[in-house]
Amino acid sequence: MPYSNFASMPCTLSRPAALLGERWTLLLLRQIFLGTRRFEDFQATMDISRSVLTDRLNVLLQENVLKRVPYHEDGRTRHEYRLTEKGRDLYPVLMALRTWGEKWMAPDEEESFHLHHRDCGGGVRAKVECTECAAELTARDVQVTARQ
Amino acid sequence: MPYSNFASMPCTLSRPAALLGERWTLLLLRQIFLGTRRFEDFQATMDISRSVLTDRLNVLLQENVLKRVPYHEDGRTRHEYRLTEKGRDLYPVLMALRTWGEKWMAPDEEESFHLHHRDCGGGVRAKVECTECAAELTARDVQVTARQ
DNA sequence: TAGCTGAGTTCGAAAATCGAACGCAAGGGA
DNA sequence: TCCCTTGCGTTCGATTTTCGAACTCAGCTA
């Protein structure tokens, strides 16, 4: 099975993993969550080649993670890339990466930005919980059952 | 900046994103969390080319996400790849992907496996919360502040 | 001695990515 | 009107990754 087939596997983990597991896609989403919206700005801040940037943006548009929104500047109509609701829902994925990065990849606490809860100023953390008892779960607390 | 430089950026999100954003890496981790541990089994279940599999396993070993553990079979010593504590801590990332996949990529509820909390049988869900007030957070609830 | 098996390594072909140049439409200014 | 700039891509040849099949090697087993 080539890589691309994971994108159509009947598995709700492998399909997102195949989509976001393409080179640049996670970094592109990071940039979007940090507020970048325009082609030129992605190109400038990430130094990704223009053709690959075009491709990744198109894949995310096609998957309905992003949408193109027209806007006006200097009396001209242009387009910017913005998250859809589906795209905004990827926030926990990025936050899980960051929570992990803070714990395991930050020897000197350096960070390029801070995150705060607007209402109370607290920090931000991703976690896994049980939908019934609301306990926080680790891999060891979870039983995997193969279907069929 | 080439892709590889994100791996050394002073950002606790971009470094994990660059590491897990390489082709095959997320799918490999999925397989590991599902219990696969041996080279031949990765190769058989994912149909990844042997040389790329070698490379990805080595990167994860080097990052201390995986460790090689000797075991005996048929009186021979072999090695298997197992998660370290750092690796097990990636569970929320995979669960965030799955939570998203269930909501947005499962038109007919099909799944190749089920997950249950061992203690109470409940489902599993990733979420983002405030470290102070424990409120569940979305991207809109969080303020981004650039450092420096 | 020969064969099998798990775990890679090697290597030529194919695919993805890169960087630099080009295209193009919509202003703005002369 | 003509030329220049800007934002957003597209094209294309060179480089890097990935692929797939064959090869290697060590330790059993027959």
Side-chain angles (χ1 to χ4, degrees):
Chain A
M1 181 194 315
Y3 186 87
S4 55
N5 283 28
F6 282 91
S8 56
M9 259 185 79
C11 173
T12 51
L13 174 50
S14 67
R15 279 179 291 138
L19 173 63
L20 303 189
E22 285 287 359
R23 227 178 188 220
W24 293 110
T25 304
L26 280 174
L27 291 169
L28 187 52
L29 286 169
R30 163 184 179 270
Q31 211 58 46
I32 291 171
F33 275 105
L34 288 177
T36 305
R37 291 173 180 173
R38 301 182 192 174
F39 191 94
E40 290 300 314
D41 294 336
F42 291 122
Q43 228 273 309
T45 56
M46 300 171 60
D47 202 21
I48 182 177
S49 79
R50 305 176 78 84
S51 48
V52 174
L53 176 56
T54 301
D55 178 78
R56 293 301 182 272
L57 288 170
N58 284 335
V59 169
L60 293 175
L61 285 174
Q62 205 174 304
E63 289 289 337
N64 203 34
V65 169
L66 299 180
K67 59 188 170 189
R68 296 186 77 203
V69 178
Y71 69 95
H72 289 274
E73 193 179 68
D74 307 334
R76 301 174 57 181
T77 298
R78 298 201 173 288
H79 294 270
E80 58 186 17
Y81 295 89
R82 306 193 62 157
L83 292 164
T84 59
E85 190 195 343
K86 181 176 175 182
R88 261 180 272 120
D89 257 359
L90 279 170
Y91 198 62
V93 176
L94 281 283
M95 286 306 102
L97 281 173
R98 183 177 149 98
T99 299
W100 186 77
E102 284 188 329
K103 178 167 180 183
W104 293 103
M105 292 187 130
D108 43 6
E109 323 240 338
E110 91 312 345
E111 282 170 58
S112 53
F113 55 88
H114 281 296
L115 301 180
H116 298 285
H117 180 194
R118 280 186 208 280
D119 292 357
C120 81
V124 177
R125 176 178 89 97
K127 71 177 213 183
V128 178
E129 74 170 29
C130 174
T131 56
E132 295 299 315
C133 70
E136 180 163 1
L137 305 177
T138 70
R140 294 201 201 277
D141 301 314
V142 176
Q143 169 104 45
V144 180
T145 316
R147 252 278 181 84
Q148 84 189 321
Chain B
M1 179 194 316
Y3 186 87
S4 55
N5 283 28
F6 283 91
S8 57
M9 259 185 81
C11 173
T12 51
L13 174 50
S14 68
R15 279 179 292 138
L19 173 64
L20 303 189
E22 285 287 358
R23 227 179 188 220
W24 292 110
T25 304
L26 280 173
L27 291 170
L28 187 52
L29 286 169
R30 164 184 180 268
Q31 211 57 46
I32 291 171
F33 274 106
L34 289 177
T36 305
R37 291 173 180 172
R38 301 183 192 175
F39 192 94
E40 291 300 314
D41 294 337
F42 291 123
Q43 228 274 308
T45 55
M46 300 171 61
D47 201 22
I48 183 178
S49 79
R50 305 178 77 84
S51 49
V52 173
L53 177 56
T54 300
D55 178 79
R56 295 300 184 272
L57 288 170
N58 285 334
V59 169
L60 293 175
L61 285 174
Q62 205 175 303
E63 289 288 337
N64 203 32
V65 169
L66 299 181
K67 58 188 171 190
R68 294 185 78 205
V69 178
Y71 70 94
H72 290 273
E73 193 179 68
D74 308 333
R76 302 174 56 179
T77 297
R78 300 199 174 290
H79 294 271
E80 58 185 17
Y81 296 88
R82 306 193 61 158
L83 291 164
T84 60
E85 191 197 342
K86 181 176 175 182
R88 259 179 274 121
D89 257 0
L90 279 169
Y91 198 61
V93 176
L94 280 284
M95 286 307 102
L97 281 173
R98 183 177 148 99
T99 298
W100 186 75
E102 284 187 329
K103 179 166 179 184
W104 292 102
M105 292 186 129
D108 42 7
E109 323 239 337
E110 89 316 339
E111 281 172 58
S112 53
F113 55 88
H114 280 297
L115 301 179
H116 299 286
H117 181 194
R118 280 185 208 281
D119 293 356
C120 80
V124 177
R125 178 178 89 97
K127 72 176 211 183
V128 179
E129 74 170 29
C130 175
T131 56
E132 294 300 313
C133 70
E136 180 163 2
L137 305 177
T138 69
R140 294 201 201 274
D141 301 315
V142 176
Q143 170 105 45
V144 181
T145 317
R147 251 276 181 87
Q148 82 192 319

